Amino acid sequence: MADEQQDRAAAPSRRALIGWGGAGLALGAVAAGGAVAVAESDGGSAADADSGGAVAFHGAHQAGIATPVQDRLHFAAFDVKTDDRAEFVQLLKDWTAAARRMTAGQPVGEGAYGGLAEAPPDDTGEALGLKPSRLTLTLGFGPTLFDRFGLKDRRPAALVDLPPFPGDNLDRSRTGGDLCVQACADDPQVAVHAIRNLARIGFGTVAVRWSQLGFGKTSSTTPGAQTPRNLMGFKDGTRNIAGTEPDRLAKYVWAGAGDGGAKDAWMAGGSYLVARRIRMNIETWDRTSLQEQEDVFGRDKGEGAPVGKAKERDEPFLPAMKPDAHVRLAHPDSNGGITILRRGYSFTDGTDGLGRLDAGLFFLAYQRDVRKGFVPLQRSLSAHDALNEYIQHVGSAVFAVPPGVRDAHDWWGRTLLSEEA
């Protein structure tokens, strides 16, 4: 951890502040502790992956969206348990303070040891000695949150309830949520540590509704990086939006100040997240011929080249693919230009009790407007995609991801919940 003893000297005394489990540490006091990445940006550089370095927490947009995709994921959806608006706002301030420290590779509060022996430590301790590992924490608000705290008139028009799609078999225990936090890092323990601490800080105010661990990123936001493969063995996300494409990000990912009218202005600089747990019928797929597998995707399995092309990044000629090929149906040219930014991860969660792997894709997609992004795209895919024979959507959620935390005095959700904002 970065200069832990110096951090302790600079941090406010436990006796001087309210405990994390109650109303929480004062934001300004924690900011004075100096647990901030020095650069303000929307993400880290590719070089950070080799150094295990920190991704800047502050910026106009939340990190973890256009940031170069890390190797591991811990995603958690929360239910809010309080009806007290002030208590909820204090939680968001406490979470922001903790996130600011953890993404910088520093312990929460006064750390995991050395404090009052009679009180629980401020930090759970399992990340002591580990590098920041490019940890990013990204927070979102679910549709049901806007039924609370007098926020009904502040729900963005783009934050729609997802309609039922053909073939959905949603598990209610893995669907929805008032809040979400997406923790991405190159070390799984760092990601789990982050969610664990936020859940601990929020105890009594929020409760984990469901969570998902992910490994093996299935999309890249870094130009020139090797395209990752999904659990079906195919490269995925070849033409994904890159974090170095500000024009495409502005057009397809970031919410604009004029989107949805004045009541939605608080979302400017934010984005909308769709999370879908997609189970793959691995055993059936593994017994399918190579030719059929390639026909289903519309790419060859070795190079990842589109049908009739030699290289992965060659411009696809869609008419050469079968009408129900996944690449053909998902391509912007087949959907009026619809483009989303994907940050999905593979998962394996044991077996289903019938000798089959519970494995698949935890799909994460960011877009400027869910109504113009995921919804029409998924309607097309769920109706015609040959891949549907081998997959099933079993969990689902949608969230409004507010703009970034701009400086040491800002906090997650301020533009929505601060009366001054």
Side-chain angles (χ1 to χ4, degrees), residues 245-321:
E245 297 180 295
D247 291 344
R248 293 184 79 200
L249 288 168
K251 182 176 181 180
Y252 297 115
V253 178
W254 306 132
D259 294 356
K263 76 179 183 67
D264 295 353
W266 67 271
M267 271 294 293
S271 189
Y272 295 91
L273 169 63
V274 171
R276 302 278 284 185
R277 189 177 190 271
I278 304 174
R279 182 172 174 188
M280 295 177 177
N281 301 321
I282 296 293
E283 291 75 18
T284 303
W285 179 258
D286 290 345
R287 288 163 176 77
T288 300
S289 71
L290 175 60
Q291 185 61 63
E292 182 173 343
Q293 289 184 0
E294 293 182 335
D295 287 343
V296 165
F297 273 94
R299 291 185 179 272
D300 73 63
K301 198 168 188 177
E303 169 61 27
V307 172
K309 302 291 183 175
K311 300 295 183 182
E312 175 199 344
R313 300 183 188 280
D314 289 347
E315 187 67 30
F317 180 60
L318 300 183
M321 302 176 187

Coordinates of all heavy atoms in Angstrom, one line a residue, residues 245-321:
E245 N -11.4 7.4 -28.3 CA -12.3 7.9 -29.4 C -13.3 8.9 -28.8 O -14.5 8.6 -28.6 CB -13.0 6.8 -30.1 CG -12.0 5.9 -30.9 CD -12.8 4.7 -31.6 OE1 -13.4 3.9 -30.9 OE2 -12.7 4.7 -32.8
P246 N -12.9 10.1 -28.5 CA -13.8 11.1 -27.8 C -15.0 11.4 -28.6 O -16.1 11.6 -28.0 CB -12.9 12.3 -27.5 CG -11.8 12.2 -28.5 CD -11.6 10.7 -28.7
D247 N -14.9 11.4 -29.9 CA -16.1 11.7 -30.7 C -17.2 10.6 -30.6 O -18.4 10.9 -30.5 CB -15.7 12.0 -32.2 CG -14.9 13.2 -32.4 OD1 -14.9 14.1 -31.4 OD2 -14.2 13.4 -33.4
R248 N -16.7 9.4 -30.7 CA -17.7 8.3 -30.6 C -18.2 8.1 -29.2 O -19.4 7.8 -29.0 CB -17.0 7.0 -31.0 CG -16.6 6.9 -32.5 CD -16.1 5.5 -32.8 NE -17.1 4.5 -33.0 CZ -16.9 3.2 -32.9 NH1 -15.7 2.7 -32.6 NH2 -17.9 2.4 -33.1
L249 N -17.4 8.4 -28.2 CA -17.9 8.4 -26.8 C -19.0 9.4 -26.6 O -20.0 9.2 -26.0 CB -16.7 8.6 -25.9 CG -15.7 7.4 -25.7 CD1 -14.5 7.8 -25.0 CD2 -16.4 6.2 -25.0
A250 N -18.7 10.6 -27.1 CA -19.7 11.7 -27.0 C -21.0 11.4 -27.7 O -22.1 11.7 -27.2 CB -19.1 13.0 -27.5
K251 N -20.9 10.7 -28.8 CA -22.1 10.4 -29.6 C -22.9 9.3 -29.1 O -24.1 9.3 -29.1 CB -21.7 10.2 -31.1 CG -22.8 9.9 -32.0 CD -22.4 9.7 -33.5 CE -23.5 9.5 -34.4 NZ -23.1 9.3 -35.8
Y252 N -22.2 8.2 -28.6 CA -22.9 7.0 -28.3 C -22.9 6.7 -26.8 O -23.7 5.8 -26.4 CB -22.2 5.8 -29.0 CG -22.3 5.9 -30.5 CD1 -21.2 6.1 -31.3 CD2 -23.6 5.9 -31.2 CE1 -21.3 6.1 -32.7 CE2 -23.7 5.9 -32.5 CZ -22.5 6.1 -33.3 OH -22.6 6.1 -34.7
V253 N -22.0 7.3 -26.0 CA -21.9 6.8 -24.6 C -22.3 7.8 -23.6 O -23.1 7.6 -22.6 CB -20.4 6.3 -24.3 CG1 -20.3 5.9 -22.9 CG2 -20.1 5.2 -25.3
W254 N -21.7 9.1 -23.7 CA -22.0 10.1 -22.6 C -23.3 10.8 -22.8 O -23.6 11.2 -23.9 CB -20.8 11.1 -22.6 CG -19.4 10.6 -22.5 CD1 -18.4 10.9 -23.3 CD2 -19.0 9.6 -21.6 NE1 -17.3 10.2 -22.9 CE2 -17.6 9.4 -21.8 CE3 -19.6 8.9 -20.5 CZ2 -16.8 8.5 -21.1 CZ3 -18.8 8.0 -19.8 CH2 -17.4 7.8 -20.1
A255 N -24.1 10.9 -21.7 CA -25.3 11.7 -21.8 C -25.0 13.1 -21.9 O -24.0 13.7 -21.4 CB -26.1 11.4 -20.5
G256 N -25.8 13.8 -22.7 CA -25.6 15.2 -23.0 C -26.4 16.1 -22.1 O -27.5 15.7 -21.6
A257 N -26.0 17.4 -22.0 CA -26.8 18.3 -21.1 C -28.2 18.5 -21.6 O -29.1 18.8 -20.8 CB -26.0 19.7 -21.1
G258 N -28.4 18.4 -22.9 CA -29.8 18.6 -23.5 C -30.6 17.3 -23.6 O -31.7 17.4 -24.0
D259 N -30.0 16.2 -23.2 CA -30.8 14.9 -23.3 C -31.9 14.9 -22.3 O -31.7 15.1 -21.1 CB -29.9 13.7 -23.1 CG -28.8 13.6 -24.1 OD1 -28.8 14.4 -25.1 OD2 -27.9 12.7 -24.0
G260 N -33.1 14.7 -22.8 CA -34.3 14.5 -21.9 C -34.8 15.8 -21.3 O -35.7 15.7 -20.4
G261 N -34.3 16.9 -21.6 CA -34.8 18.2 -21.0 C -34.1 18.5 -19.7 O -33.2 17.9 -19.2
A262 N -34.6 19.6 -19.1 CA -34.0 20.2 -17.9 C -33.9 19.2 -16.8 O -33.0 19.2 -16.0 CB -34.7 21.5 -17.5
K263 N -35.0 18.4 -16.6 CA -35.0 17.5 -15.4 C -33.9 16.4 -15.5 O -33.6 15.8 -14.5 CB -36.4 16.8 -15.3 CG -36.6 15.7 -16.3 CD -38.0 15.1 -16.1 CE -38.3 13.9 -17.0 NZ -37.4 12.8 -16.7
D264 N -33.4 16.2 -16.7 CA -32.3 15.1 -16.8 C -30.9 15.8 -16.9 O -30.0 15.0 -17.1 CB -32.6 14.3 -18.1 CG -33.8 13.5 -18.0 OD1 -34.5 13.5 -16.9 OD2 -34.2 12.9 -19.0
A265 N -30.8 17.1 -16.7 CA -29.5 17.7 -16.8 C -28.5 17.2 -15.9 O -27.3 17.3 -16.1 CB -29.7 19.2 -16.6
W266 N -28.9 16.6 -14.7 CA -28.0 16.1 -13.7 C -27.2 14.9 -14.3 O -26.1 14.6 -13.7 CB -28.7 15.7 -12.5 CG -29.7 14.5 -12.6 CD1 -31.0 14.6 -13.0 CD2 -29.3 13.2 -12.4 NE1 -31.5 13.3 -13.0 CE2 -30.5 12.4 -12.7 CE3 -28.2 12.5 -12.0 CZ2 -30.6 11.0 -12.6 CZ3 -28.2 11.1 -11.9 CH2 -29.4 10.4 -12.2
M267 N -27.6 14.3 -15.3 CA -27.0 13.2 -15.9 C -25.9 13.5 -16.9 O -25.2 12.7 -17.5 CB -28.0 12.2 -16.6 CG -28.6 11.2 -15.7 SD -27.3 10.0 -15.1 CE -26.9 9.1 -16.6
A268 N -25.7 14.8 -17.2 CA -24.7 15.2 -18.2 C -23.3 14.7 -17.9 O -22.9 15.0 -16.7 CB -24.7 16.7 -18.4
G269 N -22.7 14.0 -18.8 CA -21.4 13.4 -18.5 C -21.5 12.0 -17.9 O -20.5 11.4 -17.7
G270 N -22.7 11.6 -17.7 CA -22.9 10.2 -17.2 C -23.2 9.3 -18.4 O -23.0 9.6 -19.5
S271 N -23.7 8.1 -18.1 CA -24.1 7.1 -19.1 C -25.1 6.2 -18.5 O -25.5 6.3 -17.3 CB -22.8 6.3 -19.5 OG -23.1 5.5 -20.6
Y272 N -25.6 5.3 -19.4 CA -26.6 4.3 -18.9 C -26.1 2.9 -19.1 O -25.5 2.6 -20.2 CB -27.9 4.5 -19.7 CG -28.5 5.8 -19.4 CD1 -28.2 6.9 -20.2 CD2 -29.4 6.0 -18.3 CE1 -28.8 8.2 -19.9 CE2 -29.9 7.2 -18.0 CZ -29.6 8.3 -18.8 OH -30.2 9.5 -18.5
L273 N -26.2 2.1 -18.1 CA -25.6 0.7 -18.1 C -26.7 -0.3 -18.1 O -27.7 -0.3 -17.3 CB -24.8 0.6 -16.8 CG -24.3 -0.9 -16.5 CD1 -23.4 -1.4 -17.5 CD2 -23.6 -0.9 -15.1
V274 N -26.5 -1.3 -19.0 CA -27.3 -2.5 -19.0 C -26.4 -3.7 -18.6 O -25.4 -3.8 -19.2 CB -28.0 -2.8 -20.4 CG1 -28.6 -4.1 -20.4 CG2 -29.0 -1.7 -20.7
A275 N -26.9 -4.4 -17.6 CA -26.1 -5.6 -17.2 C -27.0 -6.8 -17.4 O -28.2 -6.8 -17.0 CB -25.8 -5.5 -15.7
R276 N -26.5 -7.8 -18.1 CA -27.3 -9.0 -18.3 C -26.4 -10.3 -18.0 O -25.3 -10.4 -18.5 CB -27.7 -9.1 -19.8 CG -28.5 -7.9 -20.3 CD -30.0 -8.0 -19.9 NE -30.7 -8.9 -20.8 CZ -32.0 -9.2 -20.8 NH1 -32.7 -8.5 -19.9 NH2 -32.5 -10.0 -21.6
R277 N -26.9 -11.1 -17.2 CA -26.2 -12.4 -17.0 C -26.7 -13.4 -18.0 O -27.9 -13.8 -18.1 CB -26.5 -12.9 -15.6 CG -25.7 -14.1 -15.2 CD -26.0 -14.5 -13.7 NE -25.0 -15.5 -13.2 CZ -25.2 -16.8 -13.3 NH1 -26.2 -17.3 -13.9 NH2 -24.3 -17.6 -12.8
I278 N -25.8 -13.8 -18.9 CA -26.1 -14.7 -20.1 C -25.5 -16.0 -19.9 O -24.3 -16.2 -19.9 CB -25.7 -14.0 -21.4 CG1 -26.3 -12.6 -21.5 CG2 -26.1 -14.9 -22.6 CD1 -25.7 -11.9 -22.7
R279 N -26.3 -17.0 -19.6 CA -25.8 -18.4 -19.4 C -25.5 -19.0 -20.8 O -26.4 -18.9 -21.7 CB -26.7 -19.2 -18.6 CG -26.1 -20.6 -18.4 CD -26.9 -21.4 -17.4 NE -26.4 -22.8 -17.3 CZ -26.9 -23.8 -16.7 NH1 -28.0 -23.6 -16.0 NH2 -26.4 -25.0 -16.7
M280 N -24.4 -19.7 -21.0 CA -24.1 -20.4 -22.2 C -24.3 -21.9 -22.0 O -24.0 -22.4 -20.9 CB -22.6 -20.2 -22.6 CG -22.3 -18.7 -22.9 SD -20.5 -18.6 -23.3 CE -20.4 -16.8 -23.8
N281 N -25.0 -22.5 -23.0 CA -25.1 -23.9 -22.9 C -23.8 -24.6 -23.4 O -23.7 -25.0 -24.6 CB -26.3 -24.4 -23.8 CG -27.6 -23.7 -23.3 OD1 -27.8 -23.6 -22.1 ND2 -28.4 -23.3 -24.3
I282 N -22.8 -24.6 -22.6 CA -21.5 -25.0 -22.9 C -21.4 -26.4 -23.5 O -20.8 -26.6 -24.5 CB -20.6 -24.9 -21.7 CG1 -20.4 -23.4 -21.2 CG2 -19.2 -25.4 -22.0 CD1 -19.7 -22.5 -22.2
E283 N -22.1 -27.3 -22.8 CA -22.0 -28.7 -23.3 C -22.6 -28.9 -24.7 O -22.1 -29.7 -25.5 CB -22.8 -29.6 -22.3 CG -22.1 -29.7 -20.9 CD -22.3 -28.4 -20.0 OE1 -23.2 -27.6 -20.4 OE2 -21.6 -28.3 -19.1
T284 N -23.7 -28.2 -25.0 CA -24.2 -28.3 -26.3 C -23.3 -27.7 -27.4 O -23.0 -28.2 -28.4 CB -25.6 -27.6 -26.4 OG1 -26.5 -28.2 -25.4 CG2 -26.2 -27.7 -27.8
W285 N -22.8 -26.5 -27.0 CA -21.8 -25.8 -27.9 C -20.6 -26.6 -28.2 O -20.1 -26.7 -29.3 CB -21.5 -24.5 -27.3 CG -20.5 -23.7 -28.1 CD1 -19.1 -23.5 -27.9 CD2 -20.8 -22.9 -29.3 NE1 -18.6 -22.7 -28.8 CE2 -19.6 -22.3 -29.7 CE3 -22.0 -22.6 -30.0 CZ2 -19.5 -21.5 -30.8 CZ3 -21.9 -21.8 -31.1 CH2 -20.7 -21.2 -31.5
D286 N -20.1 -27.3 -27.2 CA -18.8 -28.0 -27.3 C -19.0 -29.3 -28.2 O -18.0 -29.9 -28.7 CB -18.3 -28.5 -26.0 CG -17.8 -27.3 -25.2 OD1 -17.6 -26.2 -25.7 OD2 -17.6 -27.4 -23.9
R287 N -20.2 -29.6 -28.5 CA -20.5 -30.8 -29.4 C -21.0 -30.4 -30.8 O -21.5 -31.2 -31.5 CB -21.5 -31.7 -28.7 CG -20.9 -32.5 -27.5 CD -21.9 -33.1 -26.6 NE -21.3 -33.9 -25.5 CZ -20.8 -33.4 -24.5 NH1 -20.7 -32.1 -24.3 NH2 -20.2 -34.2 -23.5
T288 N -20.9 -29.1 -31.0 CA -21.3 -28.5 -32.3 C -20.1 -28.4 -33.2 O -19.0 -28.1 -32.8 CB -21.9 -27.1 -32.1 OG1 -23.0 -27.2 -31.2 CG2 -22.4 -26.5 -33.4
S289 N -20.3 -28.7 -34.5 CA -19.2 -28.7 -35.5 C -18.6 -27.4 -35.6 O -19.3 -26.3 -35.4 CB -19.7 -29.2 -36.9 OG -20.6 -28.2 -37.4
L290 N -17.3 -27.3 -36.0 CA -16.6 -26.1 -36.2 C -17.3 -25.2 -37.2 O -17.5 -24.0 -37.0 CB -15.2 -26.3 -36.6 CG -14.3 -25.1 -36.9 CD1 -14.2 -24.2 -35.7 CD2 -12.9 -25.5 -37.4
Q291 N -17.8 -25.8 -38.3 CA -18.4 -25.1 -39.3 C -19.7 -24.3 -38.8 O -19.9 -23.2 -39.1 CB -18.8 -25.9 -40.5 CG -19.4 -25.2 -41.7 CD -18.4 -24.2 -42.3 OE1 -17.3 -24.6 -42.8 NE2 -18.7 -22.9 -42.2
E292 N -20.5 -25.1 -38.1 CA -21.7 -24.4 -37.5 C -21.3 -23.3 -36.5 O -22.0 -22.3 -36.5 CB -22.6 -25.5 -36.9 CG -23.9 -24.9 -36.4 CD -24.9 -25.9 -35.8 OE1 -24.7 -27.1 -36.2 OE2 -25.8 -25.5 -35.1
Q293 N -20.3 -23.6 -35.7 CA -19.9 -22.5 -34.8 C -19.5 -21.3 -35.5 O -19.9 -20.1 -35.1 CB -18.7 -23.0 -33.9 CG -19.1 -24.1 -32.9 CD -17.9 -24.5 -32.0 OE1 -16.8 -23.9 -32.2 NE2 -18.1 -25.4 -31.1
E294 N -18.7 -21.4 -36.6 CA -18.3 -20.2 -37.4 C -19.5 -19.6 -38.1 O -19.5 -18.4 -38.2 CB -17.2 -20.6 -38.3 CG -15.9 -21.0 -37.6 CD -14.8 -21.4 -38.6 OE1 -15.1 -21.8 -39.7 OE2 -13.6 -21.3 -38.2
D295 N -20.4 -20.4 -38.5 CA -21.6 -19.8 -39.2 C -22.5 -19.0 -38.2 O -23.0 -18.0 -38.5 CB -22.5 -21.0 -39.8 CG -21.9 -21.6 -41.0 OD1 -21.0 -20.9 -41.6 OD2 -22.3 -22.7 -41.4
V296 N -22.6 -19.5 -37.0 CA -23.4 -18.9 -35.9 C -22.8 -17.5 -35.7 O -23.6 -16.5 -35.6 CB -23.4 -19.7 -34.6 CG1 -23.9 -18.8 -33.5 CG2 -24.3 -20.9 -34.8
F297 N -21.5 -17.4 -35.6 CA -20.9 -16.1 -35.3 C -20.7 -15.2 -36.5 O -20.7 -14.0 -36.5 CB -19.5 -16.2 -34.6 CG -19.7 -16.3 -33.1 CD1 -19.8 -17.6 -32.5 CD2 -19.8 -15.2 -32.3 CE1 -19.9 -17.7 -31.1 CE2 -19.9 -15.3 -30.9 CZ -20.0 -16.6 -30.3
G298 N -20.4 -15.8 -37.7 CA -20.0 -15.1 -38.9 C -18.6 -14.7 -38.9 O -18.2 -13.8 -39.7
R299 N -17.7 -15.4 -38.1 CA -16.3 -15.2 -38.1 C -15.6 -16.5 -38.0 O -16.2 -17.5 -37.5 CB -15.8 -14.4 -36.9 CG -16.2 -12.9 -37.0 CD -15.6 -12.1 -35.8 NE -16.0 -10.7 -35.8 CZ -15.3 -9.8 -36.5 NH1 -14.2 -10.1 -37.1 NH2 -15.7 -8.5 -36.4
D300 N -14.3 -16.6 -38.5 CA -13.6 -17.9 -38.3 C -13.1 -17.9 -36.9 O -12.8 -16.8 -36.3 CB -12.5 -18.1 -39.4 CG -11.3 -17.2 -39.2 OD1 -10.6 -17.3 -38.2 OD2 -11.1 -16.4 -40.1
K301 N -12.9 -19.1 -36.4 CA -12.5 -19.2 -34.9 C -11.1 -18.9 -34.7 O -10.7 -18.5 -33.6 CB -12.9 -20.6 -34.5 CG -13.0 -20.8 -32.9 CD -13.6 -22.1 -32.5 CE -13.8 -22.2 -31.0 NZ -14.5 -23.4 -30.6
G302 N -10.2 -19.2 -35.7 CA -8.8 -19.0 -35.5 C -8.4 -17.6 -35.5 O -7.9 -17.0 -34.4
E303 N -8.5 -16.9 -36.6 CA -8.1 -15.5 -36.7 C -9.1 -14.5 -36.2 O -8.8 -13.4 -35.8 CB -7.8 -15.2 -38.2 CG -7.6 -13.8 -38.6 CD -6.4 -13.2 -37.9 OE1 -5.4 -13.9 -37.5 OE2 -6.4 -11.9 -37.7
G304 N -10.4 -14.9 -36.3 CA -11.5 -14.0 -36.0 C -11.9 -13.1 -37.1 O -12.6 -12.1 -37.0
A305 N -11.5 -13.5 -38.4 CA -11.8 -12.7 -39.6 C -13.3 -12.9 -39.9 O -13.8 -14.0 -39.8 CB -10.9 -13.2 -40.7
P306 N -14.0 -11.9 -40.4 CA -15.3 -12.0 -40.9 C -15.4 -13.0 -42.1 O -14.3 -13.2 -42.8 CB -15.7 -10.6 -41.3 CG -14.7 -9.7 -40.7 CD -13.5 -10.5 -40.5
V307 N -16.5 -13.6 -42.4 CA -16.7 -14.5 -43.5 C -16.1 -13.9 -44.8 O -16.5 -12.7 -45.1 CB -18.1 -14.9 -43.6 CG1 -18.3 -15.7 -44.9 CG2 -18.6 -15.7 -42.4
G308 N -15.3 -14.6 -45.4 CA -14.7 -14.2 -46.7 C -13.5 -13.2 -46.6 O -13.0 -12.8 -47.6
K309 N -13.1 -12.9 -45.4 CA -12.0 -12.0 -45.2 C -10.8 -12.7 -44.6 O -10.9 -13.9 -44.1 CB -12.4 -10.8 -44.3 CG -13.6 -10.0 -44.8 CD -13.2 -9.2 -46.0 CE -14.4 -8.4 -46.5 NZ -14.0 -7.5 -47.6
A310 N -9.6 -12.1 -44.6 CA -8.4 -12.7 -44.1 C -8.0 -12.3 -42.7 O -7.5 -13.2 -41.9 CB -7.3 -12.4 -45.0
K311 N -8.3 -11.1 -42.3 CA -7.9 -10.6 -41.0 C -9.1 -10.2 -40.1 O -10.1 -9.8 -40.6 CB -7.0 -9.4 -41.1 CG -5.7 -9.7 -41.9 CD -4.8 -10.7 -41.2 CE -3.5 -11.0 -41.9 NZ -2.7 -12.0 -41.2
E312 N -8.9 -10.3 -38.8 CA -10.0 -10.0 -37.9 C -10.6 -8.6 -38.1 O -11.8 -8.4 -38.0 CB -9.4 -10.1 -36.4 CG -10.4 -9.6 -35.4 CD -9.8 -9.3 -34.0 OE1 -8.6 -9.7 -33.8 OE2 -10.4 -8.7 -33.2
R313 N -9.7 -7.6 -38.3 CA -10.2 -6.2 -38.4 C -10.6 -5.8 -39.8 O -10.9 -4.6 -40.0 CB -9.2 -5.3 -37.8 CG -8.9 -5.6 -36.3 CD -7.9 -4.6 -35.6 NE -7.6 -5.1 -34.3 CZ -8.3 -5.0 -33.2 NH1 -9.5 -4.3 -33.3 NH2 -7.9 -5.4 -32.1
D314 N -10.6 -6.7 -40.7 CA -11.1 -6.4 -42.1 C -12.6 -6.0 -42.0 O -13.3 -6.6 -41.2 CB -10.9 -7.6 -43.0 CG -9.4 -7.8 -43.4 OD1 -8.6 -7.0 -43.1 OD2 -9.1 -8.9 -43.9
E315 N -12.9 -5.1 -42.8 CA -14.3 -4.6 -42.9 C -15.2 -5.8 -43.3 O -15.0 -6.4 -44.3 CB -14.5 -3.5 -43.9 CG -15.9 -2.9 -43.9 CD -16.2 -2.1 -42.6 OE1 -15.3 -1.6 -41.9 OE2 -17.4 -2.1 -42.2
P316 N -16.2 -6.2 -42.5 CA -17.0 -7.3 -42.8 C -17.9 -7.1 -44.0 O -18.4 -5.9 -44.1 CB -17.9 -7.6 -41.5 CG -17.9 -6.3 -40.8 CD -16.6 -5.6 -41.1
F317 N -18.2 -8.1 -44.8 CA -19.1 -8.0 -45.9 C -20.3 -8.8 -45.4 O -20.4 -10.0 -45.5 CB -18.5 -8.6 -47.2 CG -19.5 -8.5 -48.3 CD1 -20.0 -7.3 -48.8 CD2 -19.9 -9.7 -49.0 CE1 -20.9 -7.2 -49.9 CE2 -20.8 -9.6 -50.0 CZ -21.3 -8.4 -50.5
L318 N -21.3 -8.1 -44.9 CA -22.4 -8.7 -44.2 C -23.2 -9.7 -45.1 O -23.6 -10.8 -44.6 CB -23.3 -7.7 -43.6 CG -22.7 -6.7 -42.6 CD1 -23.7 -5.8 -42.0 CD2 -22.0 -7.5 -41.4
P319 N -23.5 -9.4 -46.4 CA -24.2 -10.4 -47.2 C -23.6 -11.7 -47.3 O -24.2 -12.7 -47.7 CB -24.4 -9.6 -48.5 CG -24.3 -8.2 -48.2 CD -23.3 -8.1 -47.1
A320 N -22.2 -11.8 -47.1 CA -21.6 -13.1 -47.2 C -21.9 -14.0 -46.0 O -21.6 -15.2 -46.1 CB -20.0 -12.8 -47.3
M321 N -22.4 -13.4 -44.9 CA -22.7 -14.2 -43.7 C -24.2 -14.7 -43.9 O -25.0 -14.2 -44.6 CB -22.6 -13.3 -42.5 CG -21.3 -12.7 -42.3 SD -21.3 -11.6 -40.8 CE -19.6 -10.9 -41.0

